[in-house]
Amino acid sequence: MSEIDPTDHTLATIASILEHPEPVLVVRETETVTVTEMVVAGEHVVADEHPMVDEHPVVEEQPLVPEHTDADGYSKVGPGPMVAIRLKWTVHRGDDSQFYVHETIGEQSVPVISGPMTSEAAVHFVDAHEDEAHRRFEELRSEIAGRSSLADYERKGEA
C-alpha cells in the first residue's frame, strides 16, 4: 500500500473549509421596553431608575452571497484541492431564451452543455450536481482518511 502525502489531506480540508464559510451574522439593537404604572390620586410614585431592556438581541442571518434573481450567470463550483480538476456549472441564456448549463472541469476544458430548460430547472440542475459532487468528495475523503488511519495502525504492528 502506498503512503498518502499528508499535505494532500490538509489541502483538501482547507479547500472544504474555504468552500463552506460560516454565514455572517448581523446583530441589530432592540428597542427599550418601558413599564407604565397607573397612579392613584394622592400616591407618591418613584420612577424606575433602570428601565427594562430586552436582554436578547435580535440576530438576523444574512448569506455571504446575495440570492441570484436571474438564472443567467448562476454558477457553482465543486469541491477539491486542485483547480485543474475542479468542476464548475454555469447557467447561460441561449438565443432562443431557453437556459443551458455549461459544465467544465478545470479552467481550460470545453464545456459539456445540458439543455434547453427553464430558468428554475437550470438552477435546480446546478444545485443538484454541486450537492452530489460535495457528497461524493466527502465520501472519498472519509475513505482516504480511514485507509490512512488503518495504514498507521498496521505500520505500528498493532494489527
Side-chain angles (χ1 to χ4, degrees):
M1 182 180 274
S2 65
E3 286 194 37
I4 296 173
D5 185 4
T7 306
D8 291 339
H9 182 65
T10 304
L11 289 173
T13 303
I14 292 169
S16 175
I17 291 169
L18 292 176
E19 290 171 4
H20 299 291
E22 295 196 16
V24 176
L25 299 179
V26 177
V27 179
R28 294 185 179 166
E29 293 184 24
T30 58
E31 296 180 16
T32 304
V33 178
T34 58
V35 178
T36 57
E37 296 180 13
M38 294 182 65
V39 179
V40 179
E43 284 188 4
H44 179 66
V45 178
V46 177
D48 188 9
E49 294 179 11
H50 304 286
M52 292 177 52
V53 177
D54 187 3
E55 295 180 13
H56 302 286
V58 177
V59 178
E60 185 176 308
E61 191 172 317
Q62 294 180 347
L64 292 175
V65 179
E67 290 290 324
H68 216 288
T69 57
D70 186 21
D72 191 24
Y74 184 77
S75 181
K76 293 269 181 126
V77 178
M82 296 172 40
V83 174
I85 60 172
R86 194 170 294 151
L87 294 166
K88 181 177 182 179
W89 301 271
T90 307
V91 177
H92 295 283
R93 184 189 309 259
D95 294 335
D96 57 357
S97 295
Q98 292 289 316
F99 292 89
Y100 298 86
V101 176
H102 292 213
E103 181 176 12
T104 57
I105 300 174
E107 296 175 342
Q108 304 298 325
S109 70
V110 176
V112 174
I113 301 172
S114 301
M117 57 186 90
T118 65
S119 63
E120 295 84 16
V123 170
H124 182 267
F125 181 92
V126 169
D127 290 342
H129 280 75
E130 189 243 357
D131 288 343
E132 177 66 13
H134 279 284
R135 186 191 64 74
R136 292 179 72 187
F137 180 75
E138 291 301 322
E139 260 180 29
L140 180 61
R141 189 166 61 175
S142 295
E143 184 179 325
I144 290 171
R147 286 184 182 174
S148 175
S149 62
L150 181 61
D152 289 342
Y153 186 73
E154 288 175 353
R155 246 181 276 146
K156 292 178 184 175
E158 298 171 358

